[in-house]
Amino acid sequence: MKALIKDQPARGATYTDLPIPKIGEKDLLVRVKAAAICGTDIHIYQWNEYAASRIKLPLLFGHEYAAEVVDVGKNVTHLKTGDRVAAETHVPCGHCYQCTTGLQHICKDMKILGVHMDGAFSEYAVLPAVCAWKLDLSISYEIGATMEPFGIGVHALSKTKPAGKKVIVFGCGPIGIYAQMVAKVSGAEYVIGVDVTPERLELAKKMGTDIVLNSKEVDVISEVEKITKGLGMDIVVELTGNRGVLNDASKTLRRGGDIVLVGLFSGPVEWDVVNHVIYKEANVYGVTGRIMWDTWWTAQSLLLSGKVDVGPVITHRFELKDYEKAFQLAQSASTGKIVFEI
Ligand SMILES: [Zn+2]
Ligand SMILES: [Zn+2]
């Protein structure tokens, strides 16, 4: 099968032929139909510190995908050949404290597809059956491949009650835009998106965000002050993972508001906890991945309701062999989702 792998501890990737993988008793063999590029894949492609410290080579990477089941392990009873599935990336151990209390997505011994084990930038992939979400027939493979990142936006907003509230999202990458769409459909009074890339701000606007602010051009804190007539935001979602942004984001939050932290900072951050959290009695939430399977049900319902159309967030499509062009574009941080049609 054709596959895009990482086999050198250097920038780039290798497009090659691999044998079709063998599956275990609890796995599915799937024919991958669409796979999206995630920030993690960019780290792996660039081979930065994040990738070098986590990844054992060679690795078949790529983890946001949808596929058709072509074979099932002998202990898999709930799925069959021909089923259409999307992949949950967090592979839970199934028996730790978290796994046995409904928190599989933060399993103590969690493995991540395409990071700790082979992923899906390939024609075929092994998907642990425990991580397979059966796709509704009306949801395309392409949309199915983006349900994983869409789910992060859904999960982030699920910590809050956006109806009638003022919501600001720092970061207008795909997950940021998904979060803004979820806030909007959940009845937010208005949603503000902040980014530094004009293309992404434009995309956020197109997807329904009420106000977009380019933090390179305007002082976001005083803009928010004006927009909210001094009240501040009820809900702040931080998705940039940029260390400089956290304190500014916190300054836009009203007293007693909610701040949801999702973006991954590289290393420890300096955060004025006394002023931004304690004196404000801010509610701080950390969010990672998607709750299995609550988030997926909600994500699916939002898509099936017809009130959320995530299709246009996919801005570029490539064949796997054109991976260099795809990754070059992905690194520009100016696009929506980039999907490989496989
Ligand atoms: Zn991802
Ligand atoms: Zn576990």
Side-chain angles (χ1 to χ4, degrees):
M1 65 172 184
K2 291 292 178 199
L4 186 63
I5 63 165
K6 187 79 188 178
D7 57 352
Q8 299 296 326
R11 188 184 187 82
T14 306
Y15 182 62
T16 186
D17 282 298
L18 290 181
I20 293 175
K22 298 222 179 339
I23 55 169
E25 293 175 349
K26 297 177 185 169
D27 297 329
L28 308 171
L29 181 69
V30 297
R31 173 70 179 83
V32 180
K33 301 286 187 173
I37 296 180
C38 163
T40 305
D41 301 319
I42 299 174
H43 293 314
I44 296 171
Y45 189 84
Q46 294 175 331
W47 201 249
N48 60 14
E49 163 66 32
Y50 173 93
S53 64
R54 280 174 179 75
I55 284 161
K56 287 199 195 89
L57 300 175
L59 175 77
L60 167 56
F61 66 131
H63 57 269
E64 296 176 358
Y65 72 101
E68 182 186 341
V69 177
V70 293
D71 196 10
V72 299
K74 75 171 196 268
N75 287 347
V76 178
T77 52
H78 67 297
L79 290 159
K80 58 182 188 315
T81 301
D83 282 346
R84 302 160 72 256
V85 294
E88 164 53 59
T89 313
H90 290 189
V91 185
C93 76
H95 37 76
C96 71
Y97 180 86
Q98 283 72 23
C99 282
T100 52
T101 54
L103 298 169
Q104 292 97 312
H105 70 295
I106 45 171
C107 165
K108 192 161 94 44
D109 296 313
M110 184 175 72
K111 302 269 185 296
I112 299 180
L113 285 180
V115 174
H116 305 113
M117 54 206 280
D118 275 347
F121 284 156
S122 53
E123 289 178 293
Y124 293 88
V126 176
L127 178 61
V130 66
C131 290
W133 172 258
K134 196 168 166 183
L135 274 182
D136 188 274
L137 281 177
S138 66
I139 296 175
S140 68
Y141 284 119
E142 186 179 86
I143 299 296
T146 64
M147 280 183 77
E148 194 259 32
F150 176 54
I152 299 176
V154 172
H155 185 190
L157 267 299
S158 75
K159 300 289 186 191
T160 70
K161 295 195 177 97
K165 294 293 194 287
K166 306 170 191 3
V167 180
I168 189 166
V169 178
F170 288 80
C172 294
I175 298 173
I177 291 178
Y178 294 139
Q180 290 162 43
M181 294 171 78
V182 175
K184 190 78 188 168
V185 76
S186 307
E189 179 189 356
Y190 48 76
V191 178
I192 305 176
V194 183
D195 204 285
V196 293
T197 314
E199 293 90 336
R200 285 190 160 172
L201 290 165
E202 210 171 285
L203 183 60
K205 194 94 212 198
K206 180 177 157 196
M207 299 311 296
T209 296
D210 300 286
I211 301 159
V212 295
L213 299 175
N214 186 330
S215 55
K216 261 191 185 160
E217 289 167 3
V218 299
D219 175 17
V220 173
I221 299 161
S222 62
E223 284 300 310
V224 167
E225 184 83 17
K226 264 186 262 165
I227 296 164
T228 64
K229 303 186 180 84
L231 283 173
M233 304 303 296
D234 300 302
I235 298 168
V236 173
V237 182
E238 202 314 294
L239 266 157
T240 68
N242 182 319
R243 297 156 81 158
V245 171
L246 183 58
N247 286 292
D248 282 357
S250 303
K251 282 180 193 162
T252 67
L253 183 69
R254 73 157 163 80
R255 289 173 178 245
D258 298 333
I259 181 162
V260 187
L261 306 180
V262 193
L264 299 178
F265 303 98
S266 57
V269 278
E270 249 179 56
W271 193 25
D272 185 351
V273 173
V274 171
N275 285 306
H276 295 328
V277 180
I278 301 172
Y279 284 162
K280 268 191 177 170
E281 290 204 353
N283 306 302
V284 182
Y285 300 96
V287 160
T288 184
R290 298 137 301 278
I291 298 170
M292 294 164 74
W293 291 90
D294 310 40
T295 305
W296 286 83
W297 282 111
T298 307
Q300 173 177 279
S301 295
L302 287 170
L303 298 179
L304 296 184
S305 74
K307 291 172 186 147
V308 175
D309 176 11
V310 294
V313 181
I314 300 171
T315 53
H316 298 80
R317 294 161 182 82
F318 288 93
E319 287 182 50
L320 201 51
K321 67 175 170 51
D322 296 323
Y323 69 94
E324 279 175 318
K325 272 186 240 161
F327 274 97
Q328 195 173 359
L329 199 60
Q331 290 172 86
S332 72
S334 63
T335 69
K337 264 289 163 200
I338 300 174
V339 172
F340 288 117
E341 310 275 5
I342 301 174

